[in-house]
Amino acid sequence: MWNTYYQKTETVDEVIREIEFGRGQSQLFDLGLGGQEERKYNSPDELEVDTLDFLRALKPYEVRLQPYFMTDDDYRNENYFYIEDYVERIFVGAKSSGGDNTFNHNSPISNDIESYLFTFPEIEERFVYAIRIHLHGDIRGNYSPYMIFSLSCEEYFDAVYEASRKVEFEVRGFSGKITISQMEEEIRVEYEDEERKLDFYMCAESVNEVVERVEEELKELVGGEVDGKADE
């Protein structure tokens, strides 16, 4: 007998609206020693990729699916709960390559992403990508429903590149560039003046930290003081 148990998915637009609604809410963050600061929830920090930009870059590859209805036996076996079972039933020939979470890699992204990748042995250039977005609270829960995408490796990395964030800064009258990618725990820093060129990776939470590091690198090269400031 069929019943109304199913694996729920949502569209990109629905999840974006849910995240944007959450960002309209304020939350008090504990700063320690009795201090608190009010911030908008889940808004990207100064050196983070905005998850919404990544979702918008993936949107052209979205697959709209009807809920998958299952039998009572399926429900009792909890098959409806697992996204891997769901995708492999919907997409004939799809095989799961396992799941991951950006939280496990300290990815610089505003909302962590849990993802599952599915390949097709007979179609090497295509795969199915199932993701859900962490909305708030404990990382072990509080996720959006899954979204499903069908795309190639090239299209996936194009979406990652499109969502990457670039921030400019200034040291000693010359501009530098910070590139933040969700694929890298560290950010890339590029700076060049009339005589020197710097290109390195580092972990940082603010532009000022980057400016200080560039100043240190230049002092080692020229042995002098360097004035730096971050662009607003």
Side-chain angles (χ1 to χ4, degrees), residues 169 172 174-177 188-200 214 217-218 221-222:
F169 64 93
R172 204 179 182 184
F174 292 89
S175 296
K177 181 176 68 175
R188 183 181 182 183
V189 179
E190 298 171 89
Y191 172 84
E192 185 173 3
D193 61 19
E194 293 174 328
E195 300 178 354
R196 291 160 292 273
K197 182 176 181 180
L198 300 176
D199 189 343
F200 59 88
V214 171
E217 296 285 339
L218 291 176
L221 290 173
V222 301

Side-chain angles (χ1 to χ4, degrees), residues 12-42:
V12 170
D13 288 338
E14 287 171 330
V15 174
I16 286 175
R17 283 196 295 270
E18 191 169 1
I19 293 173
E20 288 177 335
F21 174 80
R23 289 183 179 180
Q25 315 304 308
S26 296
Q27 182 180 15
L28 287 175
F29 285 77
D30 186 3
L31 302 180
L33 300 177
Q36 289 184 320
E37 179 180 81
E38 186 175 10
R39 304 180 195 166
K40 293 295 185 181
Y41 196 76
N42 272 337

Side-chain angles (χ1 to χ4, degrees), residues 3 16 18 20 40-41 47 49 62 73 81 87-88 92 100 107 110 120 135 137 149 165 197-198 211:
N3 214 322
I16 286 175
E18 191 169 1
E20 288 177 335
K40 293 295 185 181
Y41 196 76
L47 296 182
V49 171
E62 180 180 17
D73 285 340
F81 182 79
V87 171
E88 289 178 355
V92 177
D100 203 356
S107 298
S110 59
F120 297 85
L135 301 174
F149 306 90
R165 187 174 173 190
K197 182 176 181 180
L198 300 176
V211 168

Side-chain angles (χ1 to χ4, degrees), residues 138-162:
D138 192 324
I139 191 65
R140 293 170 294 183
N142 308 302
Y143 285 84
S144 74
Y146 281 99
M147 294 160 283
I148 310 294
F149 306 90
S150 176
L151 67 171
S152 68
C153 288
E154 182 179 358
E155 289 166 339
Y156 171 78
F157 285 110
D158 283 347
V160 170
Y161 178 79
E162 184 178 337

Side-chain angles (χ1 to χ4, degrees), residues 170-173 211 215 225-229:
E170 185 177 303
V171 171
R172 204 179 182 184
V211 168
E215 289 176 342
E225 292 295 323
V226 180
D227 294 326
K229 64 178 181 179

Side-chain angles (χ1 to χ4, degrees), residues 24-225:
Q25 315 304 308
S26 296
Q27 182 180 15
L28 287 175
F29 285 77
D30 186 3
L31 302 180
L33 300 177
Q36 289 184 320
E37 179 180 81
E38 186 175 10
R39 304 180 195 166
K40 293 295 185 181
Y41 196 76
N42 272 337
S43 295
D45 290 337
E46 190 175 21
L47 296 182
E48 281 187 337
V49 171
D50 191 339
T51 304
L52 296 185
D53 290 338
F54 183 51
L55 289 180
R56 293 184 181 110
L58 284 176
K59 183 175 168 57
Y61 313 107
E62 180 180 17
V63 179
R64 302 287 296 273
L65 298 176
Q66 295 296 319
Y68 187 90
F69 292 87
M70 299 183 181
T71 65
D72 286 338
D73 285 340
D74 286 326
Y75 181 73
R76 281 191 289 271
N77 293 330
E78 295 187 339
N79 287 338
Y80 77 101
F81 182 79
Y82 300 104
I83 188 64
E84 291 169 290
D85 295 327
Y86 172 70
V87 171
E88 289 178 355
R89 290 180 183 217
I90 294 290
F91 295 91
V92 177
K95 299 296 181 184
S96 173
S97 298
D100 203 356
N101 195 309
T102 56
F103 177 82
N104 298 329
H105 308 285
N106 295 317
S107 298
I109 193 165
S110 59
N111 296 71
D112 280 303
I113 300 172
E114 183 176 273
S115 61
Y116 285 85
L117 182 68
F118 301 84
T119 59
F120 297 85
E122 297 181 0
I123 313 175
E124 294 182 359
E125 69 275 11
R126 304 297 295 181
F127 65 88
V128 169
Y129 184 54
I131 67 173
R132 60 178 182 168
I133 309 300
H134 183 247
L135 301 174
H136 57 80
D138 192 324
I139 191 65
R140 293 170 294 183
N142 308 302
Y143 285 84
S144 74
Y146 281 99
M147 294 160 283
I148 310 294
F149 306 90
S150 176
L151 67 171
S152 68
C153 288
E154 182 179 358
E155 289 166 339
Y156 171 78
F157 285 110
D158 283 347
V160 170
Y161 178 79
E162 184 178 337
S164 64
R165 187 174 173 190
K166 294 177 174 57
V167 178
E168 292 189 351
F169 64 93
E170 185 177 303
V171 171
R172 204 179 182 184
F174 292 89
S175 296
K177 181 176 68 175
I178 303 166
T179 303
I180 308 111
S181 170
Q182 69 199 60
M183 301 286 289
E184 301 283 349
E185 180 179 352
E186 296 182 323
I187 61 174
R188 183 181 182 183
V189 179
E190 298 171 89
Y191 172 84
E192 185 173 3
D193 61 19
E194 293 174 328
E195 300 178 354
R196 291 160 292 273
K197 182 176 181 180
L198 300 176
D199 189 343
F200 59 88
Y201 287 82
M202 66 177 290
C203 291
E205 295 183 358
S206 70
V207 176
N208 284 335
E209 287 183 49
V210 174
V211 168
E212 290 173 1
R213 171 69 181 276
V214 171
E215 289 176 342
E216 292 173 1
E217 296 285 339
L218 291 176
K219 286 176 185 177
E220 290 183 5
L221 290 173
V222 301
E225 292 295 323

